[in-house]
C-alpha cells in the first residue's frame, strides 16, 4: 500500500464506524515496536526493509540507544479490505515496568489492544500487568504470539513440539484472563446479594460458584479458531492467523473454510484416504492439522533458506507459492533478507494483524455502556447519583455523535513536550508553483539591478573612487540582511511546547472553539453555574474549572505532527496551547454538566527519589521552571519541595530516573545540575519484645533484670514531666501543668497493617464524610463504597482479636499520618464517647448526621493533630510510622486559675454565659467543661501545648517498645540461563537479597528466579547483574511491600552469651543502624558515631636477624 495522503485520513476521520483505536501492549523486549514498524511500513511511511531496524515510533535518542520504548507514541494508518476502508489509530506503549504509567495513558484512549507475547519466554510479569490494565479499562484484547522464528532457529524445536509449546502459552494467557474474570463475577455477585438481601441474624452461606457457572465467558479467552490470535515473527516480516490458511486450503482441497476454521487448531487430523478431517490426533499418534498444514511448511521454508541454504528447493517453493523474488534478494549473503522477501509476500504480517483488528475490535460507536458509566463515576459517587443533565451525556457518549449541536467531550490522558522546531507551523513547507515563479521573477530583478550597478560603478570609477564600491556594497548587503533575518527566524531559540495527548468521545473539536477544562476534583453537582451555561457566556469562576480556546489541533503521526482544523468524535488527536490549563490529565467539554473522567490506574508507584540543585546557585530559577515542565511532561514523575528547601524528584525506578534527569539537563532546564544519592524511604515500627537474644538463647531471668535496670537508667534520662512505667505507659504533663496525657504504643498485626495500607482511599472517603458531618453538610456515598467500608470494618475487626484489642475497631479515634495512614489512635478513656470514624455506616440513608448525636470533647482536635505529627516523623530517623497503634489511656485537663476573668467586660461575660448552655449539651463535654473557657479554647495556648505534649508522649511511648526499621522491598524477577545461576545468586546475596523461588521455564534452558531485594540496595543492580552474567540475565524490579529489618538498630549486648559472642563494644556491622545513620546524616540530624578510638601507633616487633 502506498503512502496515504493527509486528505484521505481527514476524510476517514468522519466515519466513526470505520475507526479503530488500538494500542500495543507487552512485556519489555517482546517485539512491540518491531510489530509497529511492520504496520507503519504497510502505509509507505518507512521502507519494509527498515521495518524492525528503524524503530520508527522510538523517536527519542535514549530509546534508540537503550533499545526500549519509554513513551507512548501514536500514528494514524489507513487500511482497506475489499471496498471497505478503515482508519487505525495505533498507539505503541512501553513494556518496561518503570514506564507502566505511559501504558495507562495509552489504554484509556483505546477501544482495543494487541497483546504481544514472546513465543519463547511466554507470559512474563509485565504481560500480566498489561492484561490487568486492559481489563480494568474494559477494552477488548487480541493476542499476537511473536518471535516464532526463535522456536526454529534458537530452540530448534520440531513442529509438533512447537505446537505443544504454543498451546501452553495460550493456557498461561487464558489463566490470567480467567482469574480477572472470576474476581469480577464474584464482586458483582456479592454486590447483587447485598442489595437484594438484608443481612439476617446468624451465619450466612453463599454459593459463590453459581455466578461463575451461569456467566458466559467463552468470548473472553484467546483461541485461534475464534480469530483473536495471530502467530508472527515481526523481525522477519511474517505473520498469519488460522483464517488465512483456512482460505488457502479450502480452495486447494475443496473443503469449506468454516470447517477448517474450527479444526485447524485442536486435536484434529486429516485422513488422506477418506479425505476427511477426523478427531483424536493425539490418541492415534497422528499429526494435528495445525502441524501438518501450517507449521511443517514454515519449518521447511526456514530449513531451506536459513539452515541449509538449498537454492533449488527455494526456487521450487517460490514457484509453488506463486510469488516473485528480486534477483538481488536471491544473491544476498544474509539469508534473512531472502526469507523476509518470501515471507512478506506469502504471509504479510500487516495484512494479518490489521484485518484481525478491523474484524474483531470494536469501533468508537460500539463503546460499552458499562465503560461509559465507569468513566463518568468519580470517587465514591455512583452514576445514578449524578445530576440529570450529567446522566444525559451518556447518550452522546454511546452514539459517538459528531453533529454541531452534540456536546464536545475530550479526555486528555497526558501532556508531552515537543520541540518548537517540530511543530507544523514552524516547519519549512514546500513552495507552490506560484510562489516559485514569484521568487524566480524577484531573483531576475535583483540580478538585473546588480548588473546595472556594476556597469555604473565601472563608468564612474575614475571620477569618484570609493562611492561606486560603497553603492555596490550597499546593494549587495540588502538582500543578504534579509536572508540572515529569515534564517534567524527559522533557527530561533529552542523552546519546548506541550501537546495534549487526547481523544474526542463526543462532538467535534474545532480550532477557535471555547471549552471548559475540568480538573480531576471538579464536581458538576456542586458547580453553581446556571443551567445551559456555555464557555462563550464568560461563566463565573468555579473551583477546578477553567475556560479556554482550542488553539491548535494536530494529527499524531509518530515523529511528525500534521495540523488539522477539526477532529470529529472517535479520533485520537493532539491539542496545542493547553499547558497553562492542564497539568497532567483533564477532561475538556463544552458542557458544565460533564463530570471529570475517572483518574488513570497507575501500576507503578514513584519510590525512587533524589534531591536536585543547580551547580551554579544563580540558575535556581531555571531549575524550578525546568522541574515544573518535567512534572507536566511525565505522567508518573512527581516534584516536591521539602521543608528543608530541597527540590526532590520522585520516579518509578532507576531507568525512569535517568530519563527524567536527561530531560531536565537537555530539554527543560538546560543547565548543569547536581543530583544527590537516591533518597530511599523507610518506615519506623514497633514489635513485640523478642523471646530470644541475638545468639538465639532463650531470654531468662538475668535478661529481665538487665532490662529493668536499663529502664531505670533511661527513666533518669527522661525530661521533667515525663514518666514511663515498665509496661510502656508514658504519662506526660504539659509545661503549664494544666493537662496530663497517658499514652501506650502497641504493634499492630501485620495483616491489619497491610489492610490499612491497601484501603487508604477508602479511609480518606470516610474522613471526608466525617468532616462534612461535623460541619452539618451531607455527602452522597454509593452503595458499592458503603459495602466496601462495611467489609473493611469487618476484616479489620477479624485481624484485631484478643484481650488487648477488645472493641478496638469501635474505639478508633483517628488514622494517621495524613488521616489515612496505616497507624491507629485508640480511645481507651473511660466515659468519653466521641463520634465514631464509621459514621457513614451509622448515618440514616440520605443524611449526614449520626444516628445518636455525640459531641467532641474540648481540645479533641489537638490530640489528633499531635498524633498526626508523631505518625509523620518517628523518633529514630524522622521517617513515617507504620503498623503502630497509640492508645490514649488517660487525659486530664485541670481548670486554670483565671484572674483575667475579672478583666473581661460585661458584654464579653454575657456572651460567654449565653454560649455556655449551647456548648455543653452532650455527655462528651463533661470533663471538658472543667477546663473552663481559658483551658477549653481550641485556639488558645493550651491547645498548642497539648499538640506538642501528644506528639512527645507518642514518641516516648514508641521508644519504650522494641523499635525496628522497615525497608521498602522490590520483587525481582530474573530470567537467566543455567550457566550463570551462580553469579546471579552471588549478586543477590551481596545486596541483601533473598531468593523466594526458582523454576525452569518448560521447553527452554531458562530459569525464572523470584527474589526480594531492598530498594536501598537496588541502585546499579541491573547493570551489575548484566555485567556479571555477560548479558544472559535480565532483572525486572517492581515495588512490592515493606519489610521489618530484624536487627535492633540500638542493640547493645546484655546477656553473658552476647558478651562472649559479640564482645563488649559489639561493633560488628548492624544493617539497620547503617540505614538509620545514613538517613539522619542526610537530614542533618545528630548521628552518634565514634570516628577514632585510642589513636596509638601500632608497633610491629620483629626478631633481629
Amino acid at each position: 500500500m502506498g503512502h496515504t495522503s493527509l486528505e484521505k485520513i481527514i476524510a476517514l476521520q468522519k466515519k466513526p464506524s470505520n475507526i479503530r483505536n488500538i494500542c500495543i501492549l507487552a512485556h519489555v523486549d517482546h517485539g512491540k515496536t518491531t510489530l509497529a514498524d511492520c504496520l507503519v511500513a504497510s502505509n509507505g511511511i518507512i521502507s519494509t526493509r527498515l521495518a524492525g531496524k528503524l524503530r520508527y515510533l522510538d523517536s527519542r535518542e535514549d530509546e534508540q540507544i537503550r533499545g526500549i520504548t519509554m513513551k507512548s507514541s501514536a500514528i494514524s494508518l489507513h487500511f482497506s479490505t475489499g471496498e471497505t476502508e478503515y482508519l487505525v489509530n495505533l498507539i505503541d506503549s512501553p513494556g518496561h515496568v518503570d514506564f507502566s504509567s505511559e501504558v495507562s495513558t495509552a489504554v484509556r484512549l483505546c477501544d482495543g489492544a494487541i497483546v504481544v507475547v514472546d513465543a519463547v519466554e511466554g507470559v512474563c510479569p509485565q504481560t500480566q500487568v498489561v492484561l490487568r490494565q486492559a481489563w480494568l479499562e474494559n477494552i477488548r484484547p487480541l493476542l499476537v504470539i511473536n518471535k516464532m522464528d526463535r522456536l526454529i532457529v534458537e530452540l530448534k524445536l520440531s513442529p509438533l513440539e512447537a505446537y505443544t509449546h504454543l498451546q501452553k502459552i495460550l493456557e498461561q494467557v487464558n489463566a490470567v484472563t480467567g482469574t480477572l474474570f472470576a474476581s469480577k463475577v464474584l464482586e458483582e455477585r456479592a454486590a447483587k446479594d447485598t442489595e437484594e438481601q438484608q443481612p439476617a441474624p446468624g451465619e450466612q452461606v453463599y454459593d459463590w460458584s453459581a455466578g461463575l457457572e451461569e456467566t458466559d465467558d467463552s468470548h473472553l479467552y484467546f483461541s485461534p479458531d475464534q480469530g483473536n490470535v495471530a502467530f508472527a515473527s515481526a523481525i522477519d516480516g511474517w505473520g498469519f492467523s488460522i483464517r488465512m490458511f483456512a482460505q488457502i486450503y479450502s480452495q486447494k482441497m475443496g473443503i469449506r473454510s468454516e470447517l477448517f476454521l474450527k479444526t485447524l487448531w485442536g486435536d484434529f487430523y486429516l485422513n488422506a484416504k477418506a479425505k476427511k478431517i477426523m478427531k483424536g490426533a493425539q490418541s492415534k499418534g497422528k499429526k494435528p492439522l495445525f502441524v501438518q498444514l501450517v507449521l511443517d511448511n514454515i519449518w521447511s521454508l526456514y530449513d531451506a533458506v536459513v539452515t541449509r541454504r538449498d537454492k533449488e528447493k527455494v526456487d521450487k517453493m517460490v514457484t509453488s507459492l506463486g510469488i516473485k523474488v528480486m534477483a538481488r534478494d536471491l544473491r544476498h549473503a544474509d539469508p534473512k533478507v531472502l526469507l523476509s522477501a518470501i515471507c512478506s509476500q506469502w504471509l504479510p504480517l500487516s495484512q494479518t494483524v490489521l484485518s484481525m483488528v478491523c474484524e474483531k475490535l470494536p469501533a468508537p460507536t460500539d463503546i460499552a455502556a458499562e465503560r461509559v458509566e465507569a468513566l463518568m463515576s468519580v470517587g465514591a459517587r455512583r452514576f445514578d447519583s449524578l445530576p440529570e443533565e450529567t446522566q444525559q451525556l451518556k447518550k452522546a457518549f454511546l452514539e459517538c455523535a459528531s453533529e454541531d449541536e452534540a456536546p464536545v467531550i475530550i479526555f486528555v490522558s497526558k501532556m508531552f513536550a515537543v520541540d518548537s522546531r517540530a511543530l507544523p507551523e514552524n516547519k519549512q513547507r514546500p513552495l507552490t508553483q506560484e510562489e516559485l515563479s514569484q521568487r524566480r521573477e524577484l531573483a531576475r530583478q535583483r540580478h538585473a539591478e546588480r548588473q546595472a550597478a556594476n556597469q555604473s560603478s565601472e563608468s564612474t570609477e575614475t571620477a569618484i573612487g570609493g562611492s561606486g564600491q560603497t553603492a555596490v556594497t550597499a546593494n549587495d548587503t540588502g538582500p543578504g540582511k534579509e536572508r540572515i533575518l529569515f534564517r534567524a527566524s527559522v533557527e530561533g531559540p529552542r523552546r519546548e511546547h506541550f501537546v495534549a495527548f487526547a481523544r474526542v468521545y463526543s462532538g467535534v473539536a474545532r480550532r477557535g472553539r471555547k471549552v471548559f477544562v475540568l480538573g480531576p476534583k471538579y464536581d458538576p453537582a456542586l458547580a453553581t453555574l446556571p443551567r445551559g451555561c456555555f464557555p462563550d457566556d464568560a461563566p463565573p469562576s468555579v473551583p477546578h474549572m477553567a475556560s479556554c480556546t482550542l488553539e491548535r489541533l494536530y494529527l499524531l503521526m509518530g515523529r511528525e505532527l500534521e495540523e488539522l482544523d477539526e477532529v470529529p468524535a472517535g479520533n485520537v488527536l493532539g491539542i496545542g496551547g493547553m499547558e497553562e490549563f492542564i497539568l497532567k490529565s483533564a477532561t475538556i467539554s463544552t458542557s458544565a454538566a460533564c463530570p471529570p473522567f475517572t483518574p488513570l490506574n497507575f501500576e507503578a508507584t514513584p519510590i525512587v527519589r533524589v534531591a536536585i540543585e543547580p551547580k551554579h546557585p544563580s540558575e535556581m530559577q531555571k531549575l524550578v521552571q525546568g522541574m515544573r515542565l518535567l512534572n507536566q511532561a511525565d505522567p508518573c514523575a512527581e516534584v516536591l519541595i521539602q521543608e528543608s528547601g530541597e527540590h526532590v524528584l520522585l520516579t518509578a525506578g532507576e531507568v525512569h530516573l535517568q530519563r527524567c534527569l536527561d530531560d531536565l539537563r537537555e530539554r527543560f532546564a538546560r543547565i548543569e545540575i547536581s543530583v544527590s544519592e537516591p533518597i530511599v524511604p523507610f518506615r519506623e515500627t514497633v514489635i513485640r519484645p523478642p523471646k530470644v537474644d541475638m545468639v538465639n538463647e532463650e531470654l531468662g531471668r538475668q535478661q529481665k533484670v538487665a532490662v529493668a535496670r536499663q529502664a531505670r537508667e533511661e527513666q533518669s534520662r527522661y525530661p521533667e514531666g515525663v514518666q514511663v512505667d515498665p509496661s510502656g505507659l508514658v504519662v506526660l504533663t504539659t509545661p503549664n501543668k494544666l493537662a496530663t496525657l497517658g499514652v501506650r504504643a502497641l504493634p499492630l498485626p501485620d495483616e491489619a497493617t497491610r489492610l490499612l495500607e491497601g484501603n487508604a482511599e477508602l479511609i480518606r472517603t470516610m474522613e471526608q464524610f466525617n468532616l462534612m458531618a461535623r460541619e452539618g453538610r451531607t455527602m452522597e456515598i454509593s452503595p458499592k463504597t458503603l459495602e466496601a467500608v462495611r467489609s473493611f470494618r469487618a476484616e479489620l475487626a477479624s485481624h484485631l482479636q484478643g484481650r488487648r484489642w477488645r472493641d478496638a475497631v469501635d474505639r478508633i479515634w483517628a488514622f494517621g499520618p495524613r488521616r489515612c495512614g496505616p497507624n491507629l489512635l485508640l480511645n481507651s478513656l473511660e466515659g468519653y464517647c466521641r463520634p465514631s470514624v464509621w459514621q457513614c455506616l451509622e448515618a440514616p440513608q440520605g443524611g449526614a448526621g449520626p444516628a445518636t448525636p455525640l459531641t467532641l470533647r474540648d481540645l479533641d482536635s489537638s490530640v489528633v493533630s499531635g498524633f498526626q505529627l508523631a505518625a509523620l516523623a518517628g523518633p529514630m530517623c524522622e521517617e513515617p510510622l507504620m503498623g503502630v497503634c497509640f492508645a490514649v489511656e488517660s487525659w486530664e485537663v485541670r481548670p486554670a486559675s483565671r484572674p483575667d476573668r475579672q478583666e473581661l467586660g460585661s458584654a464579653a461575660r454575657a456572651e460567654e454565659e449565653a454560649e455556655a448552655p449551647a456548648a455543653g449539651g452532650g455527655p462528651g463535654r463533661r470533663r471538658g467543661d472543667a477546663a473552663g473557657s481559658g483551658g477549653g479554647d481550641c485556639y488558645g495556648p493550651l491547645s498548642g501545648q497539648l499538640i506538642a505534649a501528644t506528639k512527645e508522649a507518642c514518641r516516648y511511648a514508641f521508644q519504650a517498645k522494641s523499635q525496628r526499621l522497615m525497608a521498602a522491598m522490590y520483587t525481582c524477577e530474573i530470567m537467566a540461563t543455567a550457566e550463570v545461576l551462580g553469579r546471579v545468586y552471588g549478586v543477590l546475596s551481596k545486596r541483601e537479597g533473598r531468593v523466594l523461588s526458582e523454576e525452569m521455564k518448560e521447553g527452554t534452558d531458562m530459569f525464572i528466579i523470584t527474589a526480594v531485594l531492598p530498594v536501598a540496595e537496588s541502585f546499579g543492580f541491573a547493570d551489575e547483574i548484566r555485567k556479571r552474567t555477560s548479558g544472559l540475565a535480565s532483572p525486572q524490579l517492581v515495588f512490592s511491600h515493606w519489610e521489618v529489618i530484624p536487627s535492633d538498630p540500638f542493640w547493645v549486648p546484655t546477656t553473658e552469651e552476647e558478651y562472649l559472642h559479640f564482645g563488649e563494644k559489639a561493633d560488628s556491622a548492624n544493617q539497620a543502624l547503617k540505614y538509620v545513620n545514613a538517613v539522619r546524616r542526610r537530614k542533618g540530624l545528630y548521628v552518634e558515631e565514634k570516628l577514632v578510638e585510642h589513636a596509638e601507633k601500632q608497633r610491629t616487633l620483629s626478631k633481629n636477624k
Side-chain angles (χ1 to χ4, degrees), residues 30 95 108 181 196 229 258 388 427 503 534 598 649 653 665 672 859 1045 1055 1079-1080 1095:
H30 278 203
R108 170 58 62 88
F181 169 72
E196 289 178 357
V229 179
E258 291 81 11
E388 186 64 33
K427 283 186 181 176
R503 172 178 166 180
F534 291 100
T598 312
L649 174 66
R665 287 190 188 99
E672 291 184 33
L859 305 171
I1045 300 172
T1055 64
V1079 174
R1080 292 184 70 88

Side-chain angles (χ1 to χ4, degrees), residues 666-694:
E666 297 163 13
R667 298 181 68 184
F668 300 128
R670 294 200 188 120
I671 59 170
E672 291 184 33
I673 56 175
S674 299
V675 182
S676 72
E677 288 296 311
I679 303 168
V680 182
F682 289 94
R683 296 287 183 268
E684 300 180 25
T685 190
V686 293
I687 62 168
R688 290 184 177 183
K691 294 182 180 178
V692 294
D693 62 10
M694 290 293 286

Side-chain angles (χ1 to χ4, degrees), residues 1080-1097:
R1080 292 184 70 88
R1081 199 175 289 112
R1082 175 173 58 77
K1083 292 184 175 181
L1085 303 171
Y1086 172 69
V1087 178
E1088 186 177 346
E1089 55 183 347
K1090 295 176 182 176
L1091 297 178
V1092 178
E1093 188 177 3
H1094 305 306
E1096 296 176 356
K1097 186 177 178 183

Side-chain angles (χ1 to χ4, degrees), residues 115-133:
V115 178
V116 183
V117 175
D118 191 320
V120 174
E121 295 180 7
V123 175
C124 291
Q126 205 61 17
T127 315
Q128 298 179 16
V129 170
V130 297
L131 279 168
R132 184 165 66 251
Q133 283 179 310

Side-chain angles (χ1 to χ4, degrees), residues 609-610 627 631 638-642 645-650:
R609 53 176 73 193
V610 291
M627 291 188 78
N631 184 42
E638 293 179 16
V639 173
L640 305 173
I641 299 178
Q642 292 191 331
E646 285 181 310
H647 288 76
V648 175
L649 174 66
L650 275 82

Side-chain angles (χ1 to χ4, degrees), residues 654 991 1017-1025:
E654 209 173 347
R991 291 176 175 264
E1017 304 290 341
S1018 68
F1019 303 103
F1021 172 72
D1023 288 340
E1024 185 181 359
I1025 213 161

Side-chain angles (χ1 to χ4, degrees), residues 290-327:
F290 188 74
V291 175
Q292 187 179 352
L293 301 182
V294 180
L295 296 186
D296 277 350
N297 293 322
I298 296 170
W299 256 246
S300 58
L301 178 65
Y302 267 81
D303 181 58
V305 177
V306 179
T307 312
R308 294 166 57 192
R309 302 198 183 186
D310 190 337
K311 192 173 182 303
E312 290 180 12
K313 194 173 179 181
V314 170
D315 290 339
K316 281 182 185 177
M317 285 185 167
V318 169
T319 309
S320 65
L321 291 171
I323 57 179
K324 292 181 180 179
V325 181
M326 295 173 70

